[in-house]
Amino acid sequence: MDDLGWLRTAVELGRRCPPSATAFSVGAVIVADDQIIAEGFSRQTDPADHAEEVALRHAAGWFAAQREQSTPAAVTIYSSLEPCGQRASRPHTCTDLILQAGLRRVVFALAEPETFVQPRGAALLRAAGVEVVHLPQLADEVADTNAHLR
């Protein structure tokens, strides 16, 4: 599958989020070697969960196994919304968690609106040397999923 196909999977996951007046509905999927490693969506297990955070938590065992190998797989995280670079509900942003996991590629559909914080996740990731790809072809679908915030 190509980037747009995997991103569509993340967008579909975002539709599973329970609505919140104080948070976006986001889906995320982690892919390596054209296989899903983990996925998640906002508020999946806790009201403060972000999608990338859930997916990374679900992938923790896979990442631990990869660290033991001499040639780690190329990994991409696909998120329906730009990963957060500022956060009030938890000590670590999704950007922090992506960097801690060692991911070197991020693909997202909708740039984070200025609804809650100043968007800066993509800029922080790029500054850290991560390849960041913005594919706005699905941005309208993500915005529709978050119509509850309008």
Side-chain angles (χ1 to χ4, degrees):
M1 193 175 325
D2 64 2
D3 282 343
L4 200 55
W6 289 119
L7 189 55
R8 186 170 303 285
T9 300
V11 170
E12 291 299 322
L13 283 166
R15 291 190 174 110
R16 295 167 65 182
C17 301
S20 169
T22 59
F24 293 108
S25 292
V26 180
V29 61
I30 299 171
V31 175
D33 298 326
D34 214 30
Q35 299 289 319
I36 293 177
I37 303 305
E39 56 186 35
F41 56 89
S42 301
R43 300 174 295 288
Q44 185 170 345
T45 57
D46 182 278
D49 277 344
H50 284 198
E52 301 91 339
E53 172 183 36
V54 173
L56 287 163
R57 192 166 52 234
H58 289 165
W62 185 88
F63 281 117
Q66 285 296 302
R67 281 191 280 281
E68 295 176 10
Q69 296 180 9
S70 59
T71 52
V75 183
T76 299
I77 186 165
Y78 295 87
S79 181
S80 58
L81 186 75
E82 173 184 359
C84 70
Q86 185 177 353
R87 187 169 182 181
S89 62
R90 299 253 167 95
H92 298 288
T93 67
C94 292
T95 298
D96 293 337
L97 297 172
I98 289 167
L99 293 172
Q100 288 170 12
L103 276 80
R104 306 307 306 159
R105 190 163 188 271
V106 175
V107 178
F108 68 91
L110 180 65
E112 184 176 14
E114 294 183 9
T115 307
F116 303 113
V117 297
Q118 184 67 31
R120 60 183 186 187
L124 291 169
L125 289 165
R126 284 186 183 105
V130 174
E131 177 188 357
V132 178
V133 180
H134 180 200
L135 296 178
Q137 297 93 317
L138 302 176
D140 287 345
E141 291 181 47
V142 178
D144 288 346
T145 300
N146 288 284
H148 61 280
L149 297 173
R150 293 184 191 143

